[in-house]
Amino acid sequence: GAVVSQHPSRVICKSGTSVKIECRSLDFQATTMFWYRQFPKQSLMLMATSNEGSKATYEQGVEKDKFLINHASLTLSTLTVTSAHPEDSSFYICSARVAGIRPTSDSGANVLTFGAGSRLTVL
Amino acid sequence: QKEVEQDPGPLSVPEGAIVSLNCTYSNSAFQYFMWYRQYSRKGPELLMYTYSSGNKEDGRFTAQVDKSSKYISLFIRDSQPSDSATYLCAMSAGEGGSEKLVFGKGTKLTVNP
């Protein structure tokens, strides 16, 4: 089945530094990837939708200059947290949609796969 | 009112019990309903997917959707310790259900041996 690999799984950095998180689709091509953020005991909040070859679409309230998203190929999207601060500490999860498969009422869910997540701690 | 409401629990049951997890929602445009299981420090894993109203069964899991009441449920029969995880409901109005999923907060379930 479709596998999404996310790296690193855990990262600790100093305040003011930038951190890059990679999301790769291992055995399929992903035209669309989604980046989520999850705080403890909270639901996943969609941050942005990343489309291959075009600019990401950010959700309201998400700073695009803070969270840089690049989807340069059909198998890789990256999220860069720039000038990270302690309040950026969170669990970041990507998901990918399989290219070329049009979801149906029964198979729609088959085309969205989540990565294992990346836990960012900013000191 | 939040778009999706889910009781965070925690919920603790003995092995073999029937577990009922629920979510309510306010957006009548939602048509695609999903349940995800998330183990600690891991990404969500799809369990069940339902389009529109009705029931869907897969092994020990049954998903129910009542669009008239804006209420969805996940039932787990013969619960096992390996079912211990956080269960997230998710829903979408978009075609195919993969766009802009709106998640509940998740219910933490512990199944005690």
Side-chain angles (χ1 to χ4, degrees):
Chain A
V3 177
V4 172
S5 174
Q6 198 170 333
H7 178 80
S9 59
R10 181 176 293 186
V11 57
I12 300 173
C13 69
K14 292 182 178 180
S15 184
T17 60
S18 294
V19 175
K20 180 185 284 189
I21 300 170
E22 293 187 347
C23 180
R24 293 181 183 272
S25 55
L26 296 186
D27 51 1
F28 66 101
Q29 293 182 325
T31 53
T32 305
M33 291 186 174
F34 303 88
W35 286 96
Y36 292 85
R37 184 174 181 176
Q38 187 178 33
F39 290 107
K41 299 184 181 181
Q42 298 294 318
S43 63
L44 279 75
M45 298 299 297
L46 180 65
M47 298 175 65
T49 301
S50 171
N51 297 298
E52 186 268 334
S54 64
K55 290 183 178 180
T57 303
Y58 289 82
E59 294 300 300
Q60 190 173 11
V62 178
E63 299 176 59
K64 57 184 66 177
D65 294 330
K66 175 76 170 176
F67 300 99
L68 300 179
I69 292 173
N70 183 279
H71 194 160
S73 77
L74 284 172
T75 60
L76 174 64
S77 176
T78 61
L79 168 68
T80 301
V81 183
T82 62
S83 187
H85 287 92
E87 58 265 29
D88 298 325
S89 299
S90 189
F91 193 51
Y92 293 87
I93 310 175
C94 71
S95 66
R97 178 178 175 179
V98 180
I101 296 180
R102 188 170 182 82
T104 67
S105 60
D106 289 327
S107 68
N110 293 334
V111 299
L112 190 61
T113 305
F114 282 86
S118 300
R119 183 163 301 280
L120 170 64
T121 302
V122 184
L123 303 176
Chain B
Q1 181 185 9
K2 292 185 178 179
E3 276 196 295
V4 179
E5 298 275 5
Q6 183 176 9
D7 186 344
L11 183 61
S12 182
V13 301
E15 184 175 355
I18 297 175
V19 176
S20 173
L21 304 167
N22 312 293
C23 287
T24 59
Y25 63 95
S26 58
N27 188 346
S28 57
F30 287 145
Q31 298 187 76
Y32 301 88
F33 304 91
M34 286 139 276
W35 286 95
Y36 285 87
R37 177 173 61 195
Q38 185 176 23
Y39 291 112
S40 181
R41 302 175 191 270
K42 298 292 184 184
E45 167 195 13
L46 180 69
L47 271 180
M48 298 289 286
Y49 173 89
T50 308
Y51 170 69
S52 194
S53 286
N55 295 354
K56 190 172 185 178
E57 187 173 322
D58 184 1
R60 297 184 294 111
F61 299 90
T62 300
Q64 290 185 351
V65 174
D66 182 349
K67 290 189 70 178
S68 62
S69 302
K70 297 189 179 67
Y71 186 88
I72 69 170
S73 301
L74 176 71
F75 297 96
I76 307 174
R77 292 185 298 281
D78 188 24
S79 56
Q80 303 294 310
S82 58
D83 294 329
S84 299
T86 296
Y87 289 80
L88 299 144
C89 63
M91 45 201 80
S92 171
E95 183 178 3
S98 57
E99 284 87 0
K100 289 202 176 185
L101 291 183
V102 180
F103 285 85
K105 283 188 176 182
T107 300
K108 186 173 183 179
L109 171 68
T110 301
V111 180
N112 302 300

